[in-house]
Amino acid sequence: MDAIKMLNLLVRFLLELCLLAAVGYWGFEAHSSWALKILFGIGLPLLIAVLWGMFLAPKSAYRLGGIPYLAAEFVLLGSGAVALFASGKPNLAWIYAIMVVVNKVLMVVWRQ
C-alpha cells in the first residue's frame, strides 16, 4: 500500500508540472506578439510556480491551511484545465481535470 501512496504523490507532482506546461503552452499559443508570448508563456507559469511554492508546498513558510488552501489549490490546478480548453485541447483538459480530482480524492482519503 505504501508504494501506491508514493505513486499517488508522484502523480501529484507530475500534475503540477503539467499545470505549468499547459499554462505555458496557452501563453505561447494565444498571443501573436512575442512580448506577450514571453510574458504569458514564461511569466505566468513562473508566477504560478512561485505562488505554489510560497503557499501550497508542504514545507513552505507561509503554507495555507483549510479552506484557503483548497481554494488556492482549486484555482491554480484548475487553471491548467482552463488553459488546455482555451488552447483548443478539450480532450487533454478533461483527462487532466479528471486526474486532478481523482488524485485529490486519494490524497484526502490517504491523508497525504
Side-chain angles (χ1 to χ4, degrees):
M1 187 64 146
D2 287 338
I4 294 173
K5 289 181 180 180
M6 291 301 292
L7 181 62
N8 193 49
L9 290 175
L10 175 63
V11 168
R12 173 55 171 240
F13 177 69
L14 294 174
L15 287 170
E16 293 167 12
L17 293 179
C18 288
L19 158 65
L20 298 175
V23 171
Y25 178 77
W26 168 81
F28 279 105
E29 289 294 313
H31 299 90
S32 59
S33 141
W34 273 104
L36 290 177
K37 285 180 187 259
I38 298 298
L39 179 67
F40 288 102
I42 295 174
L44 193 54
L46 184 60
L47 175 63
I48 289 172
V50 168
L51 290 173
W52 192 281
M54 285 181 62
F55 300 113
L56 300 175
K59 295 181 181 179
S60 64
Y62 305 104
R63 184 176 166 94
L64 298 174
I67 299 299
Y69 177 88
L70 291 175
E73 186 179 48
F74 175 76
V75 168
L76 292 180
L77 286 172
S79 67
V82 170
L84 288 169
F85 273 114
S87 298
K89 307 288 184 197
N91 292 336
L92 284 178
W94 280 114
I95 291 168
Y96 171 79
I98 290 167
M99 288 184 69
V100 166
V101 170
V102 169
N103 177 259
K104 183 60 181 176
V105 167
L106 291 175
M107 288 185 77
V108 169
V109 169
W110 290 333
R111 293 182 177 91
Q112 292 181 303

